[in-house]
């Protein structure tokens, strides 16, 4: 234990990242991050192989992202109960079990159970790695730190679709999950051999807020089920829609009352939202799910069903998106540290909106160079949204609030993504209908889906105006 603490002491004193530990953390996060993009590329194949509908198969993505988002609070609590190193090891083993179960699945229910297990483990792994790196960095150079943390986010759109397309092409979609096994085993070895202990902070232990957790689960699960059920019949007044929807709203109201009366126990303290930058960042991260997760759900389906690309060529096309993110990643962190997040995010959202709208009008005959150009420009804008917002969410917060802030922002981002995926699946299903969809029907369905993404991205400009700005003197 003493040796481990000495390893982390220089980092705490200098406020600089231990790059070796940071790179191991990135590898730990890589499998959960890749899993989302690899699965998106295989949605169409899985849909056909399991004879499912778009509405049903969207749960392969939504269940994973929702479980991820809802497990995040556990990470924030568990990091104060046990060694961070031990927690990472346990979460990776659980993720490995979920990957094996998803891989052997031959029906939708089995696949969904495996995906939920994967998502729950990922919900601990990703925020835990971020929290531990933030503790090492001691609040210094947050823009550059978020650029490092964002490496899996950058490489996932590049590697995920390409690797996923190749796995499906030469083996089967089951290998989208089997491929996690060697990645996780290597990460486990490196964690056990090289990471410090990350002992819990003294005096930080407290009982887990099960009441708040249940209310949050009810809130977001109710909303997603309501959206999914509505898309099946397009009838809002049905009990299957109103029941889950009202449950979600009731859980939200109950949580606000509960957190106000028991602030010392609240899972997500309301006092976090007294910070304007944090409030704006959290709202933006929730809305960014439409641009990030929603787009990554719709784009592969569009390329395969409208452009009639093979699964491997779909992955190649999506490299342009990831390449755009890679180009701007480093500069975005520096610009955020120098000038604040506000105008970086606003400009990026404008570009994101402008590059999404054309996809509503693209068809089978649209030139390839135009689609690839739009994907690249879309990627340029995405780095300018996620990295500055994540950085700004910690601006002005007391160090003691960092774990709760990490929990809240991660939940907002991932649950926003699951809701976005459910909404887009509902939009696509409502225009495709229950019968075999014609090309014209599918073209209209994806056109409306991309317009929803564009409108949601444009609306996000409003909260972006409340992000931080740094003067030249302060910079």
């Amino acid at each position: 234990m003493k040796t481990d603490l000495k390893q982390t002491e220089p980092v705490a004193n200098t406020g600089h990242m231990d790059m070796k530990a940071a790179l191991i953390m990135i590898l730990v996060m890589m499998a959960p991050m890749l899993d989302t993009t690899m699965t998106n590329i295989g949605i169409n194949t899985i849909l056909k192989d399991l004879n499912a509908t778009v509405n049903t198969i969207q749960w392969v993505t939504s269940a994973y992202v929702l479980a991820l988002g809802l497990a995040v609070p556990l990470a924030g609590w568990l990091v104060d109960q046990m060694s961070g190193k031990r927690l990472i090891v346990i979460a990776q083993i659980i993720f490995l079990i979920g990957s094996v179960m998803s891989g052997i699945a031959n029906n939708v229910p089995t696949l969904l159970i495996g995906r939920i297990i994967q998502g729950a483990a990922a919900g601990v792994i990703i925020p835990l790695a971020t929290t531990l790196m933030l503790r090492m960095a001691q609040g210094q150079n947050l823009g550059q730190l978020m650029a490092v943390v964002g490496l899996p986010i950058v490489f996932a759109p590049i590697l995920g679709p390409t690797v996923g397309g190749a796995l499906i092409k030469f083996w089967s979609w089951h290998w989208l999950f089997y491929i996690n096994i060697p990645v996780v085993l290597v990460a486990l070895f490196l964690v056990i051999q090289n990471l410090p202990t990350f002992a819990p902070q003294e005096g930080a232990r407290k009982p887990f807020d099960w009441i708040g957790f249940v209310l949050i689960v009810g809130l977001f699960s109710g909303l997603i089920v309501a959206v999914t059920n509505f898309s099946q019949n397009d009838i809002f007044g049905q009990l299957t829609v109103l029941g889950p929807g009202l449950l979600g709203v009731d859980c939200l109201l109950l949580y606000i009352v509960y957190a106000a009366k028991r602030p010392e126990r609240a899972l997500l303290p309301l006092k976090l939202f007294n910070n304007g930058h944090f409030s704006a960042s959290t709202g933006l991260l929730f809305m960014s799910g439409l641009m990030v997760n929603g787009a990554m759900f719709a784009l592969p389906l569009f390329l395969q069903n409208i452009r009639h690309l093979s699964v491997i060529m779909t992955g190649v096309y999506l490299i342009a998106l990831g390449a755009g993110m890679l180009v701007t990643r480093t500069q975005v962190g520096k610009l955020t540290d120098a000038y604040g997040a506000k105008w970086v995010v606003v400009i990026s959202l404008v570009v994101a909106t402008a590059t999404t709208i054309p996809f509503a009008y693209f068809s089978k005959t649209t030139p390839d160079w135009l689609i690839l150009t739009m994907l690249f420009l879309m990627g340029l804008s995405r780095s300018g949204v996620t990295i500055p917002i994540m950085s700004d969410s910690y601006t002005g917060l007391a160090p003691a609030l960092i774990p709760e802030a990490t929990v809240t922002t991660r939940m907002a981002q991932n649950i926003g993504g699951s809701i976005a995926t459910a909404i887009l699946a509902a939009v696509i299903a409502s225009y495709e209908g229950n019968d075999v969809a014609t090309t014209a029907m599918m073209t209209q369905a994806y056109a409306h889906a991309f317009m929803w993404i564009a409108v949601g991205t444009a609306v996000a400009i409003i909260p972006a105006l409340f992000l931080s700005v740094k003067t030249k003197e302060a910079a």
Side-chain angles (χ1 to χ4, degrees), residues 34-56:
L34 280 175
D35 207 67
T36 302
T37 53
M38 286 197 300
T39 305
N40 281 333
I41 201 73
I43 283 292
N44 210 47
T45 304
I46 298 172
L47 184 152
K48 294 177 181 177
D49 188 47
L50 299 182
N51 295 316
T53 63
V54 172
N55 246 345
T56 300

Side-chain angles (χ1 to χ4, degrees), residues 93-103 114-115 117-118 177:
I93 292 172
I94 294 174
F95 184 83
L96 190 63
I97 293 171
S99 298
V100 172
M101 188 168 186
S102 299
R115 292 291 284 164
I117 294 172
Q118 279 187 300
F177 308 105

Side-chain angles (χ1 to χ4, degrees), residues 187-254:
L188 272 171
F189 174 79
L190 292 174
V191 166
I192 294 170
Q193 292 295 318
N194 297 285
L195 279 192
T197 301
F198 294 112
Q201 293 182 338
E202 293 185 10
R205 295 189 177 187
K206 63 178 182 179
F208 185 68
D209 179 19
W210 289 107
I211 296 175
F213 180 71
V214 170
L215 290 174
I216 291 171
V217 170
L219 163 61
F220 293 110
S221 300
L223 292 179
I224 293 177
V225 171
V227 170
T228 304
N229 289 345
F230 173 71
S231 66
Q232 293 178 353
N233 298 305
D234 289 334
I235 300 176
F236 180 77
Q238 284 189 332
L239 184 60
T240 54
V241 177
L242 290 178
L246 291 174
L247 173 65
V249 173
D250 288 342
C251 286
L252 172 61
L253 296 175
L254 286 172

Side-chain angles (χ1 to χ4, degrees), residues 366-381:
T366 304
D368 290 338
W369 68 266
L370 183 55
I371 291 179
L372 290 170
T373 300
M374 286 299 109
L375 285 171
F376 179 76
L377 293 175
M378 186 185 290
L380 290 177
S381 66

